[in-house]
Amino acid sequence: MPGVIIHSIMSDQKLKVLLLQLPVPNNPRANIPLAAGYLKAYAHKQGLLEQVDVEIMSRAVVDAGGETLIVDEIARRRPDVLGLSLYTWNSERSLLLAARVRHLLPDLLIVVGGPEVQHDNPWVLAHPAVDVVVFGEGEQTFAALLRTLLAERDRDHSLDVLRPCPLCAVAGAGHRHGEMLSVAPPRTALADLGEVPSPYLLGYLPLRPGDMALVECSRWCPYRCSFCLYGRNMGTRLGNRLFPVERVVAEVAWAREHGADAVHFVEANLNLLPYFRQLTAALQDINTDPQIKLYAELRGEQLSEESVRALVDAGLRAAEVGLQSANPRALAAVDRRTDLLKWSAGARRLYEHGVEVFLDVILGLPADDETSVLSTLDWIAEQKLGPYDIFTLQVLPGTGVREHAARWSLQFQDRPPYYVLATDRMPYETLRALRWELKERAGFDPREVEGMPELAGYRSEHGIWSSGREPLPRLVDYLDVDCEAPVRWDTAGRALACHVASRVTIRVRNFDAAKLRRLVWPIAAANPTIVWDVLIEDVLPDPAELRDLRAAWPHAIGYLDRVAVYARPAPEPPWEKATPRFVLVVPWGTPLDPLRYERTALVMWRLPRSPSPSLLAEVGAYSGDGIVVEEGGSDDVVPAEWLRDNGLLLLMWSKKQCERVRAVKHC
């Protein structure tokens, strides 16, 4: 039998639990740790917080910090239990952190939960840093784990010899012993979600100005689309799987009062909820002067004129009505029931009321081929629908698509994002070429890595280090490097390793690859998932030198690198290194062939602070990836329309300028 639980985590003090959720790489403002909030709120309802100190780790650290900074913060708190919420975008980085924390705190109990914890996802279940895995909804299981740990703290272990492991009996969880994972029977989901208090209203999830609050209405979906995890393992019957409407409205009001810029309803089909009319009427009453923006996922077939008007009056400004495909065979293959004509009529009503519509098309669905994918785009045009975006099928663990992958000869990545790499109807080469064509048709740069942070340009959000500067800011995201400065580069790199953010921009003057290595290598080795942008000024290094530097740059292959796989001509290995990104900033008129740096570096032309219309016309007619306007230029010096029409990026010194251009997706 497995041995007893580790006794050293027990004490006569409160049990210390730290919960942590890492953000989407390019959107930390959306990193509201809702799951962690639910765990703490339910523990509160169960009376456990009298004996357990549950801390949700500060977003000031989690959202921006590099690995070393976050690990140091965890170790400083010395928790007994570390809980991690695993999603496709953060699971590999989270488990890397867990392994590093375990090295510092060997008696720490590490618990993971979230959509990545599935019985058919062995790389998570077998990870050596993980002690306990939680399957499905976590509130009840988390509370049971806490009760078990508290009971172990109070138990007299003096007579224990080979007592069965108490954690192995916690329903809904699995406990690791060396190479073996003991999985307990599954847990029945909560019958009434009203048993889970609101973490917002309890004060457990503070918001920052400009945040997007996440508000959940139910844990239910009447559909069984096989590529999706909504409502999985909980059946299609609703029952009391709703949060009370009064609580939902109160959370929206609370978010509005506490500075949120928008509310995203975490709900598969908001307009199908039984209390939809009551909800929209209540939102109309509280969401006024000014309105907070609402974002929702909606079922297109059920979007009547009345329901759309009610949503817009309540504050709806953006909605997702995923089409996925207009091919009936592909829809049937993934168990998606869509009345296409009713769906398109509902979507058009959203456009007519000024709602921004996110219309998604999935590339790589079973039973789809090149002809049917192109036919879907033709159908969108015929139905007079708006812009669409192309997403690659993710063969997610726990879904029917993964369970039946062999039926469709699906080849896919074994780590997040689990992109499909081939089907029985489309080899990788076809998928790659089709993705490029569809992205261009939709107005997106096919070279763009989805989820990659935008170039920050010549600005810092957290702190700047310049050659030889002392003391160091607590958090650094911008290095101003002059390679001719008298700096002990290795020493500076080791000092910076404990202070860097999760993404860093380096401005390099007098480029010297050897000195750059001495500075960066200690930082990158200690923080191997950083996204690096290297702005090289006034020098044109040989492309081969940059490629060699990039190949050797210390980096742990992860989510963004696998997102970038379709940059490769073949899917082996199933990833493409997404960082560092090199940007050559050179004065306009410098003789060079930008194509020489294709797939190696972006070429940005530096222009005077007030470029004339004739100069802009000349730049637009030439090749290159973007422009940099000298420091001091006004915020309207370059028209956003000109950038869009010429497909150019803009790097500015002024944050205001950068935000203005980002609004049209060109910064």
Side-chain angles (χ1 to χ4, degrees), residues 473-489:
R474 180 173 181 271
L475 185 61
V476 178
D477 64 349
Y478 187 98
L479 309 181
D480 192 351
V481 175
D482 183 345
C483 291
E484 292 187 351
V487 174
R488 295 180 179 178
W489 300 107

Side-chain angles (χ1 to χ4, degrees), residues 612-626:
S612 65
S614 61
L615 177 57
L616 291 179
E618 189 178 350
V619 173
Y622 199 71
S623 183
D625 298 290

Side-chain angles (χ1 to χ4, degrees), residues 276-351:
F276 172 73
R277 292 184 181 180
Q278 183 184 357
L279 174 63
T280 53
L283 290 174
Q284 289 174 32
D285 289 339
I286 63 103
N287 191 19
T288 58
D289 193 30
Q291 282 189 329
I292 190 173
K293 298 185 287 291
L294 304 181
Y295 172 96
E297 298 176 48
L298 305 170
R299 191 70 186 186
E301 296 96 314
Q302 306 299 323
L303 286 172
S304 65
E305 177 65 25
E306 178 189 6
S307 63
V308 171
R309 190 181 304 113
L311 283 164
V312 171
D313 289 345
L316 184 74
R317 293 296 175 266
E320 183 175 345
V321 284
L323 172 63
Q324 322 313 355
S325 176
N327 175 10
R329 291 187 300 277
L331 294 174
V334 293
D335 299 321
R336 184 171 180 84
R337 303 194 304 273
T338 302
D339 184 321
L340 289 169
L341 293 181
K342 287 182 67 176
W343 179 94
S344 64
R348 280 195 298 273
R349 291 188 182 100
L350 292 172
Y351 291 116

Side-chain angles (χ1 to χ4, degrees), residues 436-473:
W436 186 281
E437 179 182 352
L438 300 187
K439 285 285 186 182
E440 283 196 323
R441 282 198 192 189
F444 298 102
D445 185 348
R447 302 169 299 174
E448 181 182 358
V449 178
E450 295 94 339
M452 194 75 170
E454 296 169 334
L455 290 168
Y458 288 89
R459 64 186 180 94
S460 163
E461 292 186 6
H462 303 291
I464 298 172
W465 176 87
S466 61
S467 305
R469 169 177 287 186
E470 295 288 348
L472 282 171

Side-chain angles (χ1 to χ4, degrees), residues 79 92 126 371 563:
E92 286 186 281
T371 299
V563 170

Side-chain angles (χ1 to χ4, degrees), residues 158-383:
S158 61
L159 299 177
D160 289 346
V161 181
L162 288 175
R163 186 170 56 84
C165 169
L167 286 184
C168 295
V170 177
H175 185 211
R176 171 167 300 288
H177 301 270
E179 298 296 318
M180 183 177 69
L181 180 69
S182 299
V183 178
R187 180 179 296 276
T188 302
L190 276 167
D192 185 355
L193 292 183
E195 291 296 311
V196 182
S198 167
Y200 292 112
L201 304 182
L202 286 173
Y204 296 157
L205 290 178
L207 296 177
R208 300 177 299 198
D211 273 345
M212 175 184 284
L214 306 181
V215 173
E216 192 173 26
C217 300
S218 78
R219 296 179 183 173
W220 160 80
C221 181
Y223 303 100
R224 301 292 291 180
C225 306
S226 64
F227 55 81
C228 180
L229 275 171
Y230 260 125
R232 194 65 57 207
N233 305 322
M234 290 172 248
T236 56
R237 298 183 62 183
L238 177 57
N240 287 326
R241 304 285 295 160
L242 286 149
F243 289 104
V245 64
E246 298 82 7
R247 173 246 185 85
V248 173
V249 174
E251 288 188 327
V252 173
W254 185 93
R256 186 171 178 272
E257 292 165 4
H258 286 78
D261 182 60
V263 168
H264 179 182
F265 288 109
V266 186
E267 175 61 44
N269 308 280
L270 186 71
N271 55 322
L272 298 190
L273 293 175
Y275 54 47
F276 172 73
R277 292 184 181 180
Q278 183 184 357
L279 174 63
T280 53
L283 290 174
Q284 289 174 32
D285 289 339
I286 63 103
N287 191 19
T288 58
D289 193 30
Q291 282 189 329
I292 190 173
K293 298 185 287 291
L294 304 181
Y295 172 96
E297 298 176 48
L298 305 170
R299 191 70 186 186
E301 296 96 314
Q302 306 299 323
L303 286 172
S304 65
E305 177 65 25
E306 178 189 6
S307 63
V308 171
R309 190 181 304 113
L311 283 164
V312 171
D313 289 345
L316 184 74
R317 293 296 175 266
E320 183 175 345
V321 284
L323 172 63
Q324 322 313 355
S325 176
N327 175 10
R329 291 187 300 277
L331 294 174
V334 293
D335 299 321
R336 184 171 180 84
R337 303 194 304 273
T338 302
D339 184 321
L340 289 169
L341 293 181
K342 287 182 67 176
W343 179 94
S344 64
R348 280 195 298 273
R349 291 188 182 100
L350 292 172
Y351 291 116
E352 291 164 2
H353 283 269
V355 176
E356 182 181 8
V357 178
F358 296 96
L359 197 166
D360 305 335
V361 175
I362 295 180
L363 178 62
L365 289 172
D368 245 344
D369 57 22
E370 183 174 4
T371 299
S372 62
V373 171
L374 294 174
S375 295
T376 290
L377 303 192
D378 292 339
W379 184 85
I380 291 172
E382 291 167 4
Q383 295 297 313

Side-chain angles (χ1 to χ4, degrees), residues 103-172:
H103 180 72
L104 297 175
L105 304 174
D107 292 333
L108 178 68
L109 188 75
I110 297 177
V111 182
V112 300
E116 285 284 89
V117 179
Q118 301 288 341
H119 292 282
D120 59 353
N121 203 18
W123 82 269
V124 171
L125 302 186
H127 199 282
V130 173
D131 297 308
V132 177
V133 295
V134 175
F135 297 97
E137 292 183 7
E139 290 90 355
Q140 296 179 92
T141 304
F142 179 68
L145 285 169
L146 295 182
R147 291 192 192 96
T148 301
L149 294 173
L150 291 170
E152 284 297 292
R153 179 189 64 182
D154 299 332
R155 182 185 296 276
D156 180 2
H157 297 283
S158 61
L159 299 177
D160 289 346
V161 181
L162 288 175
R163 186 170 56 84
C165 169
L167 286 184
C168 295
V170 177

